[in-house]
Amino acid sequence: RLRALNRLQVILQHLKMSKQTDSTAEVLLEKKGGAGIITLNRPKALNALNLPMIQKIYPQIKAWEQDPQTFLIIIKGTGGKAFCAGGDIRAITEAGKVGDKLTQEFFIGEYRLNNAIGTCKKPYVALIDGITMGGGVGVSVHGHFRVATEKTVFAMPETAIGLFPDVGGGYFLPRLSGKIGYYLGLTGFRLKGRDVLKVGIATHFVESEKLPALEKDLIALKSPSKEKIADLLNSYHAKCTIDQEKEFVLDEHMEKINSLFSGNSMEEIVKKLKQDGSPFAMKQLETINKMSPTSLKLTLRQLREGASMSLQEVLQMEYRLSQACMKGHDFYEGVRAVLIDKDQSPKWKPAALEEVSDEFVDNCFKPLGNEDLKL
């Protein structure tokens, strides 16, 4: 009986899906061959994730995971400019101002989705063509395969808006080589093209115009194993010669990044940058001085703690931090300055690192009891 029920669910799922491919939907979910395909379809908003999109994608991934006729999951964006430029920050800001539940529901939904991708039993292939930031990183980086192109722009720019590099940033950033994850998380530095592969965010690099052919070949694979999928991606990767000779953009600075960003506190990192005094160090200091002091302190601790946590523990920690930011000042001020008024001059409170007390930071990391994220 259970089997028949499961079969019925799968059939209903397929029927539902044939309806969902109407091209105006914000996310398209379709089955082609042995592949489940997720298309983020808000090109005007650079495919930013909102709660309804998240609520559609999550159960679909879970259904495909159970479906014996689905062998892999592909996620991509439309419009040619962005894979996904982040979460729908504006909606969250509006909600936060009026005490709406969206400030909880959005992060709960998003982090559960990140976890579903991180634990997905089916091979998960993210085609990260174009802008991939914040929430877009969350729906790609935790999967098995991430295919970057010459158009990929990767960044976690949250400290500039009074937030922190969430969506599991506390898990993957400290696991990148040396201190580069700390550097990316604190400064929001943008990596482009092949550099996204070199840093370990992407697993493969393929020309943007070859992606439709790659997708077709992935769909055509007959009951593929993870190895078969990897072989196909590897063959495309091997043929791509764009920027092959170019050295990694941060190569010459890696030694400095590893020493300067190894401080135990933000104050220590700032001190190291000042003492170093090189043009590179001064440029980082200038960047850090623009960021929310509260965000910087939360981020450094998030990355240091996340380095030894599981993805689930990290997402729980990040949910606590998200709720602390929703109750604070800097997130709303950062969004105002960067996204709404665009005057790029946020007035942070507190305005200096020294004024963000350890006690305040500790409080942001405290368990929320019944309100904690359940995965």
Side-chain angles (χ1 to χ4, degrees), residues 227-374:
E227 289 68 37
K228 267 194 195 164
I229 293 164
D231 289 344
L232 178 62
L233 292 170
N234 291 342
S235 71
Y236 269 82
H237 175 83
K239 288 188 202 114
C240 181
T241 55
I242 297 177
D243 292 339
Q244 224 168 12
E245 305 308 310
K246 247 167 91 174
E247 71 167 54
F248 178 49
V249 65
L250 294 169
D251 230 8
E252 54 178 314
H253 305 302
M254 272 322 293
E255 214 173 301
K256 276 202 190 308
I257 286 172
N258 290 338
S259 72
L260 297 171
F261 285 83
S262 65
N264 291 330
S265 67
M266 271 319 298
E267 287 88 343
E268 202 182 316
I269 290 173
V270 166
K271 194 171 145 196
K272 281 174 178 254
L273 289 168
K274 282 180 178 158
Q275 282 171 344
D276 183 276
S278 64
F280 175 76
M282 291 295 97
K283 202 174 159 197
Q284 305 324 309
L285 195 58
E286 197 185 320
T287 301
I288 280 173
N289 282 335
K290 290 187 184 133
M291 304 307 187
S292 154
T294 302
S295 290
L296 290 168
K297 285 210 168 172
L298 293 181
T299 298
L300 183 59
R301 176 152 164 197
Q302 169 208 4
L303 300 183
R304 286 172 59 101
E305 296 204 357
S308 57
M309 286 178 167
S310 67
L311 176 60
Q312 290 71 38
E313 289 167 331
V314 164
L315 290 167
Q316 255 181 336
M317 163 179 75
E318 291 180 355
Y319 181 70
R320 292 165 188 169
L321 294 180
S322 78
Q323 296 311 295
C325 290
M326 292 304 106
K327 291 186 178 80
H329 163 272
D330 280 7
F331 170 66
Y332 302 98
E333 174 57 12
V335 171
R336 180 206 64 74
V338 176
L339 298 175
I340 296 171
D341 300 341
K342 297 187 175 155
D343 58 26
Q344 311 301 329
S345 55
K347 306 278 179 282
W348 304 123
K349 276 184 199 163
L353 285 168
E354 296 71 37
E355 294 167 28
V356 183
S357 72
D358 292 348
E359 190 188 359
F360 173 82
V361 174
D362 287 344
N363 273 330
C364 296
F365 282 82
K366 280 207 174 114
L368 302 172
N370 289 338
E371 301 288 302
D372 256 329
L373 175 68
K374 292 160 195 68

Side-chain angles (χ1 to χ4, degrees), residues 159-219:
T159 54
I161 57 162
L163 212 51
F164 56 95
D166 65 335
V167 297
Y171 182 78
F172 77 87
L173 288 169
R175 283 167 172 77
L176 299 177
S177 68
K179 290 291 172 187
I180 193 151
Y182 291 77
Y183 171 69
L184 295 172
L186 292 166
T187 66
F189 183 81
R190 294 179 175 205
L191 291 168
K192 298 187 174 100
R194 207 177 268 270
D195 289 333
V196 181
L197 172 82
K198 288 181 177 156
V199 81
I201 298 285
T203 55
H204 295 81
F205 187 77
V206 173
E207 274 157 88
S208 182
E209 59 178 41
K210 295 278 195 311
L211 289 183
L214 170 61
E215 191 183 324
K216 224 164 139 182
D217 286 349
L218 282 168
I219 290 165

